[in-house]
Amino acid sequence: MVPAPRTLSGEQHPSPQDLEHDYGLRVAALLPCAGGFESDCWVADDRWFVKRWRGSEPPARLGLLEELGTAGMPVPAPIRTLNGEFYTASGPRPYAVFPFVRGREAVDDDWRLTAEALKSVHDLAGVDLPATTMDEPEIWQLRERLDHPWIRDRRREVAASIYRLEATIERARAKVVRHVVCHRDFGGSNLLIDGGQVVAILDWAQAVLGPREHDVWMAAEGRHGSSFLAAYGANDLDVDHIEYALLARALRDMAGRVLQEVDRPGVDTWGFDRIARLDRDLAMFGPYCTGRATPGRSCRVANVGSPRRPGRGGAGGV
């Protein structure tokens, strides 16, 4: 059982006393470091990485990190508490401690290392994960927020892209393709490089069993897309699953920012800019895909003012 919530001695973060009480760790200082949308983070004595979630929900998938580390993947697993748990409750917010891994975030020039690491993830076997459904609840919520000031002037473009996504999901769900371990947010800040090798693959909260295309789409994010796909060993990719992955990522990143009202510039950089180059990106994947993409298909907006609900289907769920 996870211990009952208590008030931290440190007002803003776990203190050295909290770490000793919960983990038996003696540390001198905690220094803040970059977190993300969902967490605040600190480094303790260059030995431990402390992550405190901003919400009150228990963190998911921490056991998966231990499983992946045991399988030989460079995945830092959470340190067990003195009670043998993966995290502890601290007031309303849970926190966990991990080994601190020194490295830099992956950049575009690390395309070969990134492709090879992604291939190693997709080659994993026997990992217990739910199967993807391609449900996109945040995107469907975005359809209800077309009057938000950040997207209002381009609401027809957003609505058209959502309808296109629905049609793409319907086609993709009708196909039987091989499922692999999919990280779904690979590369960049979730991949640490040191000494010319990948030393950590981070943030597995979105991981599912799904088509490899749901990770391989990231080849379109850099200048070395074709080289990335060749290094990965891409062949016989499914064009509809690639289209789903590209379009869903753009809309998902847009929706997250609009719904939470954070990072206004990111709505353009990670949303509209990706949508604008969607068909060009699909063409880049063409030599590695079976089937043919039809640029702009399913993009007509029937009635922006009366959005319909997306269909559902597929096996399993997250």
Side-chain angles (χ1 to χ4, degrees):
M1 294 291 290
V2 176
R6 60 186 178 81
T7 301
L8 286 174
S9 59
E11 184 176 288
Q12 299 297 327
H13 58 74
S15 70
Q17 292 75 25
D18 296 315
L19 292 177
E20 184 171 5
H21 177 276
D22 297 330
Y23 287 90
L25 301 176
R26 295 187 177 183
V27 301
L30 285 161
L31 297 178
C33 66
F37 278 152
E38 299 179 348
S39 63
D40 300 303
C41 302
W42 299 266
V43 175
D45 294 351
D46 284 342
R47 295 186 62 197
W48 313 109
F49 183 81
V50 181
K51 179 174 183 176
R52 190 182 188 198
W53 284 264
R54 291 179 182 153
S56 59
E57 292 296 318
R61 307 287 181 83
L62 295 184
L64 171 64
L65 305 184
E66 188 173 75
E67 181 181 356
L68 291 168
T70 301
M73 299 299 294
V75 176
I79 305 300
R80 298 274 188 152
T81 69
L82 292 178
N83 290 332
E85 303 295 336
F86 290 119
Y87 73 96
T88 185
S90 54
R93 298 170 59 186
Y95 83 96
V97 178
F98 302 82
F100 176 61
V101 180
R102 188 174 300 278
R104 60 171 177 81
E105 296 180 1
V107 296
D108 192 31
D109 286 342
D110 296 312
W111 58 269
R112 184 179 296 279
L113 281 175
T114 304
E116 291 170 351
L118 183 61
K119 183 66 164 59
S120 70
V121 169
H122 290 176
D123 285 343
L124 283 170
V127 178
D128 184 20
L129 285 169
T132 185
T133 65
M134 293 182 280
D135 286 341
E136 296 290 345
E138 282 195 340
I139 296 176
W140 312 143
Q141 290 179 52
L142 183 65
R143 200 204 309 266
E144 310 294 337
R145 298 292 303 277
L146 295 178
D147 60 346
H148 190 282
W150 293 0
I151 60 175
R152 181 170 52 213
D153 292 345
R154 302 176 70 175
R155 66 198 309 266
R156 292 187 63 85
E157 182 179 350
V158 176
S161 297
I162 294 174
Y163 281 112
R164 177 173 181 172
L165 178 64
E166 286 187 300
T168 304
I169 290 174
E170 185 176 356
R171 292 193 306 273
R173 281 176 172 162
K175 296 182 174 180
V176 177
V177 295
R178 182 168 64 95
H179 279 39
V180 300
V181 173
C182 278
H183 182 281
R184 296 184 72 226
D185 196 16
F186 204 79
S189 60
N190 288 332
L191 204 66
L192 297 185
I193 309 290
D194 189 57
Q197 61 182 351
V198 174
V199 293
I201 304 172
L202 309 174
D203 194 359
W204 291 79
Q206 301 180 52
V208 295
L209 294 178
R212 57 201 168 130
E213 291 86 351
H214 296 187
D215 275 341
V216 174
W217 71 273
M218 65 174 295
E221 292 292 281
R223 305 185 313 274
H224 309 282
S226 294
S227 297
F228 179 100
L229 291 170
Y232 170 86
N235 60 79
D236 296 330
L237 298 176
D238 180 80
V239 66
D240 289 317
H241 280 285
I242 285 290
E243 182 172 339
Y244 158 75
L246 290 168
L247 185 51
R249 185 54 187 253
L251 288 168
R252 196 182 303 131
D253 282 358
M254 178 188 293
R257 287 163 171 80
V258 169
L259 296 175
Q260 298 180 48
E261 296 196 335
V262 295
D263 188 20
R264 170 63 185 88
V267 173
D268 293 327
T269 303
W270 310 115
F272 284 118
D273 290 354
R274 282 172 170 163
I275 291 170
R277 69 173 196 258
L278 174 61
D279 290 315
R280 185 179 69 207
D281 288 343
L282 280 172
M284 186 270 291
F285 281 97
Y288 302 91
C289 286
T290 56
R292 294 173 58 89
T294 305
R297 58 189 170 187
S298 304
C299 277
R300 183 173 59 85
V301 182
N303 186 341
V304 173
S306 302
R308 60 187 177 86
R309 295 290 181 183
R312 298 177 63 87
V318 275

